[in-house]
Amino acid sequence: MAFPLYCFLLVEGFKHTKSKKLYLLRMSIMAVVSEPIYDWTFYRQIPYWGNQNIFFTLCCGLSFLIIADITSQ
């Protein structure tokens, strides 16, 4: 239930940010920083390459939004 809300807020942040590249950088940093905590919490090993946290998926979506925005101009 939370994923659609995350996606909505990602798009809203994309629409209202001044620097889309900086927004992607902050999302990527958050993905990398939170990954060891996620791995340890759910799999008890660091690193666990089977699954990644939701921030990596959101970063991919944000990357596609940035690419679509650049190509549409």
Side-chain angles (χ1 to χ4, degrees):
M1 289 206 40
F3 185 71
L5 181 61
Y6 293 156
C7 292
F8 173 74
L9 293 174
L10 180 82
V11 173
E12 284 295 311
F14 175 79
K15 286 185 349 185
H16 296 290
T17 188
K18 293 180 182 176
S19 174
K20 293 173 175 63
K21 291 179 185 177
L22 187 59
Y23 185 40
L24 180 61
L25 177 66
R26 287 191 303 250
M27 288 290 292
S28 300
I29 289 171
M30 189 64 187
V32 171
V33 167
S34 63
E35 182 62 24
I37 299 165
Y38 175 81
D39 289 345
W40 181 253
T41 301
F42 290 106
Y43 305 106
R44 296 290 184 216
Q45 78 182 53
I46 299 173
Y48 179 76
W49 299 108
N51 288 328
Q52 275 68 46
N53 63 35
I54 194 66
F55 283 108
F56 286 106
T57 305
L58 293 174
C59 285
C60 289
L62 184 58
S63 299
F64 290 132
L65 284 173
I66 291 171
I67 290 168
D69 187 50
I70 291 171
T71 58
S72 69
Q73 292 178 357

